[in-house]
Amino acid sequence: MRAHKLTFAALVVAAGLSLTACQNDDAAVGQTDPSSAASASATGGGSGSGGPDADSGKESAGASPGGKDTAAPAGSDGSGKVAKCTTDGLEITAKDDFIDGDPDGTVAVELKNRSGGDCVISGFAGVDLKTAAGSLSATRTGAPGDPYVLKDGKTIAFAINYPLNETGGSGVRITGLVVTPPNETKSVTLAWPGRGSLPVTDGSDAGSVKVGPIGSAGQGG
């Protein structure tokens, strides 16, 4: 009887030791190595400013490989396209372009790009002659060409044609020229370089002064 009790007691002790060992093994399997966790945190694709995308490993949109913002080229509208020419970005001048023998007078208006980048220009500029009798708007004539990329520092021109005052009288005195570039609302006022007056006509002859499309007077350098 004593021998049986000792045997039973030995089995209980052995079973307890075996259960403790299994629990220790299970705990070891579920435990994460601290050094491995630190490494994953340092190299993982976390969301950060200018950092790589967590799914693709590519750089975030709007950032260069160095993490800096990607700027649009000079003269662009921010989307990579060349922006339109603006009044503030143009140097506008006018000169007498009359050739002896022509039936009408001609003034060439030159637009020089000084914006610091290329720009696009096309169509018609707004032209008004300031006269002693009031403002006279020029009538558009001719067909506009395709949009033209005006390089920085380059010049393009258009022509204004007007009737010559050959009546011998004083006519209608011209006091200035107002030019508004295509698709702009800001104007510039220039001195009138052509003949000093228009012939007097019956009523308002708005069609007597004509403006050609951009490029109608050639292109400068």
Side-chain angles (χ1 to χ4, degrees), residues 24-60:
N24 289 337
D25 290 342
D26 291 342
V29 170
Q31 182 178 356
T32 302
D33 185 349
S35 62
S36 299
S39 175
S41 177
T43 60
S47 60
S49 176
D53 183 83
D55 295 326
S56 64
K58 298 179 180 179
E59 290 293 325
S60 303

Side-chain angles (χ1 to χ4, degrees), residues 113-119 150-154:
N113 181 5
R114 57 175 182 82
S115 66
D118 300 346
C119 64
L150 187 61
K151 299 290 186 180
D152 184 39
K154 298 298 183 179

Side-chain angles (χ1 to χ4, degrees), residues 42-134:
T43 60
S47 60
S49 176
D53 183 83
D55 295 326
S56 64
K58 298 179 180 179
E59 290 293 325
S60 303
S64 66
K68 297 180 180 179
D69 291 339
T70 303
S76 76
D77 61 5
S79 65
K81 297 180 181 179
V82 179
K84 71 173 184 177
C85 298
T86 65
T87 304
D88 290 336
L90 295 170
E91 179 182 345
I92 304 174
T93 56
K95 66 179 183 179
D96 186 10
D97 209 25
F98 174 71
I99 299 175
D100 287 338
D102 284 353
D104 295 320
T106 302
V107 165
V109 177
E110 298 183 339
L111 303 95
K112 183 175 182 179
N113 181 5
R114 57 175 182 82
S115 66
D118 300 346
C119 64
V120 173
I121 193 166
S122 64
F124 291 86
V127 170
D128 295 280
L129 267 60
K130 299 171 69 174
T131 76

